[in-house]
């Protein structure tokens, strides 16, 4: 008897906990935009908080994917928009992985920063062996084809990357410089401006975060390009070392902003000698906070991008012997002190759990039953002639692996394009299924799974969700 009652009480407590947990998830999803995530805080400030994304992990690692979607409002391809990936053989373009990233970003309402068109590294062998007019033509073809392909989807490009050496501000002795002479930099910008006049055009490099010979050289190059109307922004990679944020970083960024440029911290990470310690993590948090504050204090700072998600995702250990742990998330996806520091610098608050007073809590309170799911269509943009909706699936107490959604249009609406779902229509009934990589929704979790552009009057019809 006693045993039965105890068990039943535990069972009831379990249900109560589950319902409370579900309400918590719903609330945090609803109010995430307030201040509790990096992207919520950055959205409120009107700046980008970006992350370098590995497309393989995006497709295969749900923890990774969820952090990218939840915490960041901008993405940069860590590798898949580099020339060796996009044009492995002369004239043969391979946009598959980059397109996957762009589709993911669109589905999650994120901007895409383009990295990178002209670089001495991660370029295919064929182009490294060219010179003169042939090389110049290849440079133009690459810039034009790539920027055309992503026009409207990629808002800014690192047109040239790392063109100044570490030797006293001299231009880097790359195959581009050897094959084309100094004018290749201006040429690259001219080709880029022609290809997509609406994209912001950037130069980008490391070890130019403070004032030094290398950043002085960039300042000179920037003046020249600004005078020709060819440059819009300066990217500071900020691959930094623990405790060594340059003392004059704000003045340095300010002088580029004073040229009329946007400035952006493009590849932030702060590495340390391994093994790391709690004390080093605290120092790292201060360093991150300082860098992000430098950006938020500058009206012309377009944002900060961190170069990877978890410490285990970072390029640092592969390149800097004995160093690592340079990012915001631990290997298991939990948040490091540096995360809270960045959130703080963005004006967010990790402890904010209750909704602001003047808003009503969401009314969806019935969690789906075990093994079941619910789904919701949310109109996120409406420009009269069309509208965009994002669609999310919520799992019950069991994780969902595969979903099929159906709904009826109330008054003749239709879908003009969609991403990340298999859609079929019969009369006014729409059926949408997962496309594999977005099939999974964790127990009790809500996940934005796909999106579409609708025509007709925007609508949020109720949706039936079938799991499995
Ligand atoms: C790095 C990537 O993180 C690695 O995965 C890859 O193996 C090498 O390139 N400066 C840049 C980035 O502009 O493209 C580099 O990214 C890091 C340094």
């Amino acid at each position: 008897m006693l045993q039965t009652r105890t068990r039943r009480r535990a069972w009831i407590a379990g249900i109560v906990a589950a319902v409370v947990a579900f309400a918590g998830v719903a609330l945090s999803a609803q109010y995430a935009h307030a201040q509790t995530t990096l992207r919520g805080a950055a959205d409120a400030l009107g700046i980008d908080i970006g992350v370098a994304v590995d497309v393989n992990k995006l497709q295969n690692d749900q923890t990774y994917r969820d952090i990218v979607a939840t915490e960041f409002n901008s993405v940069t391809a860590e590798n898949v928009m580099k020339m060796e990936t996009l044009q492995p053989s002369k004239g043969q373009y391979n946009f598959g992985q980059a397109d996957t990233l762009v589709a993911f970003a669109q589905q999650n309402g994120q901007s895409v920063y383009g990295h990178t068109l002209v670089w001495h590294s991660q370029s295919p062998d064929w182009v490294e062996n060219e010179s003169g007019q042939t090389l110049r033509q290849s440079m133009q073809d690459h810039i034009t084809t790539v920027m055309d392909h992503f026009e409207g989807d990629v808002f800014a490009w690192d047109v040239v990357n790392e063109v100044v050496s570490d030797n006293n501000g001299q231009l880097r002795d790359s195959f581009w410089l050897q094959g084309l002479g100094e004018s290749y930099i201006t040429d690259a910008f001219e080709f880029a401006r022609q290809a997509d006049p609406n994209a912001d055009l950037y130069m980008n490099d490391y070890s130019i975060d403070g004032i030094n010979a290398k950043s002085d050289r960039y300042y000179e190059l920037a003046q020249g390009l600004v005078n020709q109307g060819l440059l819009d922004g300066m990217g500071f990679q900020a691959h930094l070392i623990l405790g060594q944020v340059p003392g004059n970083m704000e003045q340095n960024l300010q002088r580029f902003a004073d040229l009329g440029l946007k400035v952006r911290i493009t590849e932030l990470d702060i590495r340390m000698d391994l093994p790391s310690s709690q004390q080093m993590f605290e120092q790292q948090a201060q360093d991150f906070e300082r860098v992000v504050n430098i950006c938020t204090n500058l009206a012309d700072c377009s944002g900060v991008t961190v170069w990877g998600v978890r410490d285990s995702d970072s390029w640092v250990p592969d390149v800097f012997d004995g160093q690592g742990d340079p990012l915001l998330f631990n290997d298991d996806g939990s948040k490091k002190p540096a995360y809270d520091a960045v959130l703080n610098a963005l004006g967010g608050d990790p402890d904010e759990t209750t909704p602001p007073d003047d808003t009503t809590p969401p009314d969806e309170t019935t969690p789906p039953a075990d093994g079941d799911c619910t789904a919701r269509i949310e109109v996120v943009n409406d420009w009269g002639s069309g509208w965009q909706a994002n669609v999310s699936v919520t799992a019950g107490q069991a994780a969902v692996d595969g979903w099929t959604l159906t709904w009826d249009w109330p008054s003749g609406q239709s879908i003009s394009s969609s991403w990340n779902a298999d859609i079929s229509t019969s009369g006014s009934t729409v059926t949408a299924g997962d496309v594999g990589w977005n099939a999974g929704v964790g127990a009790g979790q809500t996940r934005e799974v796909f999106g579409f552009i609708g025509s007709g009057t925007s609508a949020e019809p109720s949706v039936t969700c079938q799991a499995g």
Side-chain angles (χ1 to χ4, degrees):
M1 180 66 202
L2 178 65
Q3 214 184 0
T4 314
R5 195 187 291 155
T6 313
R7 208 182 291 145
R8 174 167 313 151
R9 207 184 292 140
W11 181 76
I12 290 171
I15 298 279
V16 169
V19 169
V20 168
F22 177 83
V25 168
L27 286 179
S28 66
Q30 183 87 357
Y31 294 103
H33 300 296
Q35 269 108 9
T36 54
T37 61
L38 302 182
R39 77 177 287 178
D43 282 347
L45 286 181
I47 69 169
D48 287 350
I49 182 77
V51 62
V53 174
D54 174 326
V55 174
N56 278 322
K57 289 179 184 168
L58 197 64
Q59 290 172 306
N60 299 314
D61 178 337
Q62 180 151 356
T63 304
Y64 183 89
R65 185 162 59 230
D66 288 346
I67 296 175
V68 171
T70 314
E71 295 289 349
F72 300 95
N73 61 11
S74 181
V75 295
T76 302
E78 185 173 3
N79 286 300
V80 300
M81 289 193 191
K82 292 171 180 174
M83 191 172 185
E84 69 175 6
T85 303
L86 291 184
Q87 199 185 167
S89 320
K90 190 176 169 84
Q92 288 187 359
Y93 290 84
N94 158 32
F95 288 115
Q97 289 175 293
D99 286 346
T100 298
L101 178 61
V102 170
F104 179 89
Q106 288 176 346
Q107 184 196 329
N108 290 289
Q110 298 163 314
S111 68
V112 183
Y113 184 92
H115 175 78
T116 173
L117 295 166
V118 176
W119 190 25
H120 65 277
S121 183
Q122 293 182 279
S123 289
D125 290 343
W126 65 264
V127 77
E128 295 195 22
N129 293 325
E130 292 184 349
S131 65
Q133 187 47 33
T134 315
L135 178 59
R136 193 165 178 279
Q137 188 62 53
S138 293
M139 183 172 82
Q140 178 168 18
D141 290 346
H142 185 74
I143 290 173
T144 307
T145 308
V146 172
M147 289 185 78
D148 279 354
H149 180 84
F150 293 110
E151 188 161 2
D153 295 330
V154 170
F155 76 99
W157 280 98
D158 288 330
V159 176
V160 300
N161 192 36
E162 302 179 350
V163 294
V164 175
S165 74
D166 299 315
N167 178 16
N168 211 25
Q170 288 171 36
L171 290 186
R172 181 182 290 277
D173 192 18
S174 66
F175 70 91
W176 295 108
L177 184 72
Q178 287 171 12
L180 298 173
E182 286 194 32
S183 59
Y184 86 92
I185 297 175
T186 310
D187 287 350
F189 278 92
E190 273 172 359
F191 298 148
R193 190 63 99 205
Q194 274 166 26
D196 181 358
N198 295 317
D200 278 345
L201 307 183
Y202 279 70
M203 295 192 283
N204 188 51
D205 212 327
Y206 63 89
S207 296
I208 58 163
D209 314 299
I211 297 179
N212 54 40
K214 192 172 176 182
S215 63
D216 283 350
R217 184 61 189 267
Y218 271 104
Y219 186 72
E220 248 173 60
L221 289 170
Q223 282 177 311
L225 289 166
V226 165
N227 288 338
Q228 297 169 83
L230 293 174
L231 188 69
D232 305 301
M234 188 67 216
F236 302 84
Q237 290 182 7
H239 292 295
L240 298 173
I241 298 170
L242 188 71
Q244 297 184 29
V245 180
N248 50 22
M249 187 163 173
E250 42 277 88
Q251 290 100 294
N252 188 44
L253 268 62
Q254 183 69 57
R255 68 175 170 159
F256 284 90
D258 289 343
L259 294 175
L261 293 172
K262 291 172 189 161
V263 294
R264 189 176 180 96
I265 293 160
T266 50
E267 303 186 11
L268 179 60
D269 51 24
I270 303 181
R271 59 187 186 263
M272 57 185 72
D273 289 333
L274 299 175
S276 52
S277 64
Q278 187 59 28
Q279 198 189 344
M280 289 155 96
F281 276 14
E282 301 296 337
Q283 173 69 50
Q284 184 183 47
Q286 283 180 30
D287 293 348
F288 265 101
E289 185 151 4
R290 176 154 140 65
V291 173
V292 175
N293 273 325
I294 290 173
C295 178
T296 57
N297 288 335
L298 262 175
D300 300 306
C301 187
S302 72
V304 177
T305 290
V306 292
W307 205 246
V309 179
R310 302 158 300 198
D311 286 336
S312 48
D313 301 314
S314 172
W315 72 305
V316 165
D318 296 336
V319 175
F320 301 94
D321 236 10
Q323 298 177 61
D325 290 359
L327 295 170
L328 303 181
F329 294 87
N330 292 304
D331 298 0
D332 64 1
S334 59
K335 297 163 181 173
K336 292 170 62 184
Y339 172 94
D340 288 341
V342 170
L343 184 58
N344 193 40
L346 293 170
D349 178 358
D351 297 324
E352 173 159 359
T353 46
T354 43
D357 288 337
D358 57 351
T359 49
T360 6
D363 48 30
E364 29 168 346
T365 43
T366 338
D370 279 15
D372 223 349
C373 54
T374 58
R376 174 165 178 227
I377 295 177
E378 188 185 6
V379 176
V380 293
N381 198 0
D382 189 345
W383 53 93
S385 56
W387 43 282
Q388 183 186 332
N390 288 343
V391 183
S392 56
V393 169
T394 300
Q397 291 312 307
V400 162
D401 186 22
W403 41 263
T404 306
L405 313 184
T406 36
W407 68 89
D408 282 315
W409 289 124
S411 44
Q413 288 85 353
S414 62
I415 291 181
S416 48
S417 69
S418 68
W419 47 93
N420 300 332
D422 275 333
I423 305 242
S424 59
T425 306
S426 158
S428 64
T429 305
V430 182
T431 307
D434 66 82
V435 288
W437 64 264
N438 60 356
V441 182
Q445 303 280 305
T446 297
R447 178 168 174 205
E448 249 176 48
V449 285
F450 75 97
F452 63 85
I453 304 295
S455 63
T457 318
S458 67
E460 296 183 341
S462 57
V463 184
T464 309
C465 184
Q466 172 77 50

